[in-house]
């Protein structure tokens, strides 16, 4: 067994090597999403090793068992006796194991210095040289320096396989969230709104819309499922994110904003029977029922203290209900905080769901087979291969420019501007016509005080929309006046009057 001092020295060396490995990983300029995700997983693992080594160092420094002090005293009192004893122990070990091969620890950390994308490029170049050599096109292209091409990187086949099983097909390696299971649980909640998956992604964090009476055991199960999914998603797609700190900060804000009065059990809660009622009449009938009286008598008998003890038990039931409501509110707030942090990914998920709804079955299957479908948007400048798109054509489902004939067929070269939507420009008549039914245009119309009816479709100018609305109101008033003026009535003597005159005369009793 190594001495305490040697264990400390080795732990310090391990921490330094692990820190340097993290620096080497962070300095690599990676463009592929898969490689960046594996790198973050590796860095997270190295950080956990640093924490483990640091905890071991702290235990050695604390020296709770006094082993370090005893070892220091032995070395101080015995002179060189302890030194020669340890030296002899080392010599005996190597004499017993003469064939032992010592592997320098530096070799285990060299892989963190090599860029996997550069290694892939070297392998592709080597394969091209081998193919050229096999076809006899370039006899001089025999593999030279192949040993250098086989560079070990921090990514191996096990990491690739683990990444494949880490995410579902909907998550696309952490680009999107997959809340299909939670959506099914939401639909099983009593009196919950029937939302499609696309609508659910936009409104799942609006817990205030769910009736209080529906927040039962199934609702708690639903919230727990949301929390577990988000925490697992953070660990898989964002392993370096400090989730514990975000939860602590959210808890501190929640505790500061929580008011005990808001958690009152209410007047319609029976503390003895642990039941809550929706209507006051039902609650009053229950309080006067024989079943309730028997429950109160049973509590008094079980507590052994009479009516005062029964009141104490009922107060305890109220406190337990308040605590349960507080925990439920905290769970809702925590899920909302997670949703705020993942707002961009949730919005990307909604866009992806809308896009996939327009794909054919063949296109969806082809997308699933694509290992690296697309790069992240903020890495376009770092990609080695740029799309050739001189005409600035829109991109299709595969991330490539659409054909020019399709561009002309749909009239995407014609741009339409909508002043009501903030001068937003739409490509093609079809997109322009469709946007009149979208929530954005309807919201802006309501801000102008105009209903978004069929009469206003095609009107993109604010001035024209207001003018049309005034004309519609004016015509509506004129139509009402004309109805009163031109509708004719005849009395018993055969005299003909318009509607207004006839009603006035009849009220006066003249006809």
């Amino acid at each position: 067994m190594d001495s305490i001092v040697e264990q400390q020295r080795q732990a310090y060396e391990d921490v330094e090597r692990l820190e340097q490995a993290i620096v080497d990983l962070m300095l690599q300029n990676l463009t592929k999403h898969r490689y960046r995700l594996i790198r973050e997983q590796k860095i997270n693992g190295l950080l956990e090793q640093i924490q483990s080594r640091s905890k071991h160092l702290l235990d050695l420094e604390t020296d709770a068992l006094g082993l370090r002090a005893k070892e220091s005293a032995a070395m101080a009192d015995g002179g060189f006796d302890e030194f020669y004893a340890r030296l002899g122990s080392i010599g005996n070990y190597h004499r017993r194991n003469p064939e032992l091969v010592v592997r320098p620890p530096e070799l285990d950390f060299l892989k963190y210095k090599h860029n996997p994308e550069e290694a892939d490029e070297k392998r592709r170049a080597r394969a091209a040289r081998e193919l050229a050599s096999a076809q006899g096109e370039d006899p001089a292209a025999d593999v030279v320096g192949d040993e250098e091409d086989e560079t070990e990187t921090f990514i191996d086949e096990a990491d690739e396989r683990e990444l494949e099983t880490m995410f579902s097909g909907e998550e696309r390696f952490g680009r999107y969230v997959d809340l299909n299971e939670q959506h099914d649980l939401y639909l099983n909640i009593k009196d919950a709104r029937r939302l499609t998956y696309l609508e659910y992604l936009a409104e799942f964090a609006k817990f205030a819309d769910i009736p209080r009476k529906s927040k039962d055991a199934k609702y708690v199960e639903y919230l727990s499922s949301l929390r577990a999914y988000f925490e697992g998603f953070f660990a898989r797609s964002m392993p370096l994110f400090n989730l514990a700190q975000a939860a602590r900060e959210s808890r501190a804000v929640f505790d500061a904003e929580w008011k005990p009065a808001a958690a009152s059990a209410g007047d319609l809660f029976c503390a003895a029977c642990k039941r809550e009622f929706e209507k006051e009449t039902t609650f009053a009938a229950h309080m006067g029922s024989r079943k309730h009286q028997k429950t109160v008598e049973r509590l008094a008998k079980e507590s052994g203290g009479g009516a005062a003890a029964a009141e104490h038990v009922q107060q305890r039931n109220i406190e337990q209900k308040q605590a349960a409501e507080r925990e439920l509110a905290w769970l809702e707030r925590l899920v909302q905080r997670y949703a705020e942090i993942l707002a961009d990914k949730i919005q990307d998920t909604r866009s992806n769901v809308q896009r996939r709804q327009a794909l054919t079955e063949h296109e969806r299957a082809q997308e699933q087979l694509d290992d690296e479908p697309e790069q992240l948007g903020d890495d376009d400048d770092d990609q080695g291969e740029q799309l050739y798109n001189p005409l600035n054509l829109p991109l299709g489902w595969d991330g490539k420019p659409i054909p020019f004939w399709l561009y002309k067929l749909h009239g995407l070269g014609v741009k339409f501007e909508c002043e009501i939507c903030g001068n937003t420009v739409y490509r093609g008549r079809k997109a322009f016509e469709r946007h009149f039914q979208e929530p954005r245009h309807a919201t802006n119309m309501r801000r102008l005080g105009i209903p978004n009816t069929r009469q206003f479709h095609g009107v993109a100018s604010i001035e024209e929309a207001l003018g049309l609305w005034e004309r519609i109101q004016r015509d509506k008033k004129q139509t009402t006046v004309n109805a009163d003026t031109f509708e004719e009535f005849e009395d018993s003597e055969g005299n003909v009057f318009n509607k207004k005159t006839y009603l006035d005369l009849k009220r006066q009793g003249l006809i």
Side-chain angles (χ1 to χ4, degrees):
M1 180 180 177
D2 293 335
S3 65
I4 304 299
V5 177
E6 174 60 21
Q7 292 182 37
Q8 286 181 300
R9 185 206 64 78
Q10 186 175 358
Y12 277 118
E13 182 180 0
D14 291 343
V15 170
E16 290 181 357
R17 293 188 188 279
L18 292 169
E19 290 176 347
Q20 184 60 43
I22 293 176
V23 172
D24 293 336
L25 286 175
M26 294 299 295
L27 290 177
Q28 295 184 15
N29 185 20
L30 302 177
T31 59
K32 291 185 177 181
H33 176 67
R34 294 164 64 95
Y35 287 171
R36 286 199 300 268
L37 188 56
I38 294 177
R39 177 177 64 180
E40 291 186 5
Q41 297 285 351
K42 291 289 185 180
I43 292 175
N44 186 52
L46 293 174
L47 289 173
E48 291 178 355
Q49 293 184 47
I50 290 177
Q51 291 179 345
S52 176
R53 298 290 196 285
S54 300
K55 184 177 182 302
H56 180 57
L57 270 172
L58 183 62
D59 294 339
L60 294 178
E61 292 287 350
T62 305
D63 195 22
L65 300 179
L67 298 178
R68 182 182 178 186
K70 187 183 298 183
E71 181 180 299
S72 300
M75 288 189 293
D77 297 340
F80 286 95
D81 295 340
E82 183 70 17
F83 170 77
Y84 285 117
R86 293 180 181 272
L87 181 62
S89 176
I90 295 174
N92 292 333
Y93 175 79
H94 285 283
R95 277 193 295 272
R96 291 195 303 269
N97 303 279
E99 304 296 332
L100 182 66
V101 178
V102 179
R103 177 180 174 84
E106 295 87 352
L107 298 180
D108 296 330
F109 293 89
L110 286 177
K111 60 183 180 180
Y112 297 110
K113 297 180 178 292
H114 300 141
N115 191 316
E117 294 181 356
E118 295 178 357
D120 292 343
E121 188 65 28
K122 289 181 180 180
R123 280 193 288 269
R124 285 193 291 267
R126 176 190 176 191
R129 291 198 304 270
E130 291 178 347
L131 180 61
S133 176
Q135 294 177 351
E137 296 177 359
D138 188 3
D142 290 336
V143 182
V144 178
D146 284 348
E147 294 77 4
E148 298 180 0
D149 290 342
E150 295 296 334
T151 303
E152 183 182 6
T153 65
F154 67 90
I155 297 177
D156 54 22
E157 294 182 0
D159 296 326
E160 294 281 356
R161 289 194 299 269
E162 183 180 359
L163 189 65
E164 292 288 344
T165 59
M166 190 178 295
F167 297 96
S168 66
E170 293 289 335
E171 290 174 332
R172 297 296 296 277
F173 301 105
R175 287 185 178 88
Y176 313 117
V177 297
D178 182 8
L179 297 178
N180 284 285
E181 181 180 349
Q182 286 70 31
H183 179 228
D184 294 337
L185 291 175
Y186 168 81
L187 294 177
N188 290 328
I189 297 177
K190 183 181 179 181
D191 296 334
R193 293 173 54 197
R194 303 296 96 180
L195 301 177
T196 64
Y197 183 59
L198 191 60
E199 296 172 336
Y200 172 78
L201 288 174
E203 302 185 13
F204 75 91
K206 298 179 180 178
F207 300 118
D209 295 343
I210 299 178
R212 183 182 178 185
K213 62 181 181 179
S214 300
K215 297 184 177 182
D216 50 9
K218 288 187 177 180
Y219 180 73
V220 175
E221 179 187 358
Y222 162 68
L223 282 181
S224 301
S225 178
L226 275 175
R227 177 183 181 178
Y229 174 79
F230 282 134
E231 290 178 350
F233 185 80
F234 276 114
R236 290 179 287 120
S237 64
M238 303 167 61
L240 299 182
F241 182 77
N242 195 343
L243 187 62
Q245 180 180 355
R248 286 195 299 270
E249 293 174 355
S250 181
R251 182 73 189 200
V253 174
F254 173 80
D255 291 339
E257 295 179 350
W258 178 263
K259 298 179 180 179
S264 176
D267 297 331
L268 304 182
F269 176 71
C270 177
C273 302
K274 298 183 181 181
R275 288 184 59 188
E276 188 170 4
F277 298 86
E278 298 180 12
K279 297 181 180 180
E280 187 173 354
T281 54
T282 309
F283 176 72
H286 168 77
M287 296 298 290
S289 65
R290 183 164 181 78
K291 181 179 179 181
H292 172 75
Q293 300 298 331
K294 286 184 176 181
T295 303
V296 174
E297 294 174 0
R298 179 176 55 82
L299 290 176
K301 184 177 180 180
E302 291 178 355
S303 57
E311 286 290 335
H312 177 72
V313 173
Q314 295 181 37
Q315 183 62 31
R316 186 180 60 191
N317 292 340
I318 294 177
E319 293 175 356
Q320 290 177 354
K321 183 176 185 297
Q322 292 176 347
E325 289 182 349
R326 180 189 177 100
E327 190 63 26
L328 184 63
W330 157 240
L331 196 56
E332 292 177 344
R333 183 66 189 92
L334 183 62
V335 172
Q336 288 175 341
R337 178 55 182 158
Y338 290 162
E340 291 172 3
I341 298 173
L342 296 174
D344 292 339
K345 289 185 180 293
I346 294 173
Q347 180 60 36
D348 292 342
T349 303
R350 294 188 69 242
S351 301
N352 182 57
V353 170
Q354 288 179 317
R355 181 185 62 84
R356 286 175 60 84
Q357 287 176 350
L359 299 182
T360 64
E361 188 66 28
H362 174 72
E363 290 170 342
R364 292 194 186 97
Q366 184 65 30
E367 191 177 62
Q368 290 293 337
L369 294 176
D370 194 355
D371 291 334
E372 188 67 23
E374 55 186 359
Q375 306 294 338
L376 293 185
D378 55 352
D379 296 316
D380 291 339
D381 297 336
D382 299 332
Q383 296 181 13
E385 182 181 356
Q386 298 292 335
L387 291 175
Y388 181 71
N389 191 11
L391 299 178
N392 194 24
L393 299 175
L395 302 182
W397 66 271
D398 56 354
K400 298 179 181 179
I402 65 174
F404 185 71
W405 64 266
L406 187 60
Y407 175 81
K408 297 293 289 184
L409 176 65
H410 291 284
L412 300 181
V414 182
K415 297 181 180 179
F416 298 87
E417 183 176 344
C418 180
E419 184 183 3
I420 297 175
C421 295
N423 295 324
T424 304
V425 177
Y426 297 91
R427 283 189 171 188
R429 168 64 65 177
K430 184 177 180 181
F432 179 68
E433 293 289 345
R434 185 171 60 244
H435 102 279
F436 288 106
Q437 299 287 348
E438 294 177 351
R440 178 179 182 178
H441 185 84
T443 301
N444 291 329
M445 289 288 286
R446 285 196 298 271
R447 290 172 180 170
L448 294 175
I450 304 173
N452 188 31
T453 59
R454 190 68 185 173
Q455 296 166 305
F456 294 91
H457 284 203
V459 179
S461 172
I462 295 178
E463 183 179 356
E464 293 179 2
L466 292 174
L468 179 58
W469 176 238
E470 291 177 359
R471 190 174 67 185
I472 291 175
Q473 289 181 316
R474 186 169 57 250
D475 293 345
K476 186 176 181 180
K477 291 180 181 178
Q478 186 65 28
T479 301
T480 304
V481 173
N482 292 341
D484 292 339
T485 304
F486 293 101
E487 192 172 358
E488 296 181 344
F489 288 79
E490 183 179 355
D491 62 1
S492 59
E493 298 178 358
N495 299 316
V496 179
F497 308 94
N498 60 41
K499 180 180 179 181
K500 186 174 184 301
T501 304
Y502 176 81
L503 293 176
D504 290 342
L505 293 174
K506 187 173 182 179
R507 278 195 297 267
Q508 298 174 15
L510 299 178
I511 58 174

